[in-house]
């Protein structure tokens, strides 16, 4: 495509505009998936892994971490505070990570001694999240146990990690079942990468990997971030539903030549 072509430059500008709006929410996971998934697509599309590629990967990863750290520091004041002279920004002296393990241990102290398992309520709460409340006014507002209310007195949104949410649902048996499900989903992505014939497979695989990565932090995130994959599948179907026979052959031959090196390299399934 080329880095300086008008289409590429326009795509870059639109991506930065979209990222600026997403960053205002303070949700680092969304920015991580958008840029991390896009970078992984580019990495998989490379025919060979030269030292230049490794250097770009390291620099890009460090830049993404710094950007997400800046999002956290400006979460309470907005990105506009960067240009304000009297803004009150709390600069962290280290990279901030969520206290998932602490919350997990606290939940294990409460459930099931002082609060019963929520069982299927959490799964239902995650699955029905995309349904607008205007169509379902009585939609549950929590999965039967609110960590923010129980552990922080309310007014806070706490993440327990997928392990904590599974334990909240049914103890260690639920953790085993959830681990099996995550493993099956990862295996499906690996099979997709091996059988893919071009960039379409790379895109689905890359964003699927980051969806699972974010899903380890929160099962709800696993549901929400997959909207991008669904949208891409719908767009692909719409664009390629009736290609001409000659064009279909050319596209498949071109895609196969680009992806053959990925399938042949050891450990290409990542």
């Amino acid at each position: 495509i080329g880095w300086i072509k008008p289409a590429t430059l326009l795509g870059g500008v639109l991506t930065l505009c979209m990222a600026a709006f997403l960053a205002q929410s303070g949700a680092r996971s969304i920015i991580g998936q958008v840029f991390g998934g896009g970078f992984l697509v580019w990495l998989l599309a490379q025919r060979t892994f030269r030292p230049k590629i490794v250097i770009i990967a390291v620099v890009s990863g460090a830049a993404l971490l710094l950007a997400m750290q800046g999002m956290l520091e400006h979460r309470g004041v907005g990105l506009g505070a960067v240009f304000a002279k009297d803004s009150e920004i709390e600069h962290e002296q280290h990279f901030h990570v969520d206290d998932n393990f602490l919350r997990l241990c606290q939940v294990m102290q409460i459930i099931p001694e002082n609060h019963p398992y929520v069982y299927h309520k959490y799964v239902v709460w995650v699955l029905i999240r995309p349904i607008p409340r205007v169509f379902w006014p009585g939609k549950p507002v929590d999965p039967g146990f609110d960590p923010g209310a129980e552990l922080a007195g309310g007014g806070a949104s706490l993440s327990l990690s997928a392990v904590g949410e599974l334990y909240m649902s049914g103890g260690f048996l639920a953790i085993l079942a959830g681990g099996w499900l995550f493993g099956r989903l990862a295996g499906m992505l690996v099979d997709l990468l091996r059988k893919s014939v071009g960039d379409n497979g790379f895109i689905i695989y890359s964003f699927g990997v980051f969806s699972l990565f974010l899903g380890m932090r929160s099962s709800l995130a696993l549901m929400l971030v997959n909207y991008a994959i669904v949208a891409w599948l719908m767009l692909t179907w719409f664009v390629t539903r009736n290609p001409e026979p000659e064009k279909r052959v050319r596209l498949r031959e071109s895609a196969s030549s680009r992806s053959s090196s990925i399938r042949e390299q050891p450990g290409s399934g990542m």
Side-chain angles (χ1 to χ4, degrees), residues 104-208:
L104 170 61
C105 295
Q106 290 175 333
V107 168
M108 294 180 68
Q109 291 178 334
I110 297 175
I111 299 176
E113 284 77 10
N114 301 319
H115 192 286
Y117 294 118
V118 298
Y119 297 110
H120 65 283
K121 294 181 180 179
Y122 188 83
V123 177
V124 172
W125 183 68
V126 171
L127 294 177
I128 66 175
R129 185 63 181 266
I131 302 176
R133 191 167 296 276
V134 67
F135 299 125
W136 188 357
K139 187 175 72 171
V141 296
D142 60 63
F145 179 83
D146 186 359
E150 297 289 340
L151 304 178
S157 178
L158 301 180
S159 175
L160 307 177
S161 77
V163 176
E165 294 164 351
L166 291 169
Y167 177 84
M168 181 176 68
S169 301
F172 293 105
L173 291 179
I175 294 176
L176 291 175
W180 175 85
L181 177 61
F182 270 84
R184 292 296 298 171
L185 292 175
M188 291 172 58
L189 290 174
V190 172
D191 291 338
L192 172 67
L193 180 64
R194 290 173 176 170
K195 299 176 182 178
S196 64
V197 292
D199 294 341
N200 190 45
F202 294 161
I203 290 172
I204 298 175
Y205 171 82
S206 299
F207 282 91

Side-chain angles (χ1 to χ4, degrees), residues 20 23 25 34 40 50 55 77-78 94 96 103 124 135 138 143 153 156 165 174 179 220 228 235 245 258 267:
S25 67
V34 169
L40 185 56
R50 305 183 301 274
I55 294 174
V77 295
H94 53 80
H96 179 82
R103 304 307 178 185
V124 172
F135 299 125
E165 294 164 351
L220 182 59
L235 179 62
R258 296 187 61 186

Side-chain angles (χ1 to χ4, degrees), residues 58-75:
V58 173
V59 173
S60 300
L64 183 58
L65 289 175
L66 290 173
M68 292 191 294
Q69 180 73 6
M71 287 178 55
L72 180 66
E73 294 176 349
H74 294 80
R75 177 180 293 180

Side-chain angles (χ1 to χ4, degrees), residues 31 112 153 159 176 211 248:
I31 295 295
S159 175
L176 291 175
S211 296
R248 187 188 305 119

Side-chain angles (χ1 to χ4, degrees), residues 199-201 203-204 227-238:
D199 294 341
N200 190 45
I203 290 172
I204 298 175
Y227 290 165
I229 297 178
V230 175
W232 180 258
L233 291 175
M234 294 177 62
L235 179 62
T236 302
W237 173 83
F238 179 77

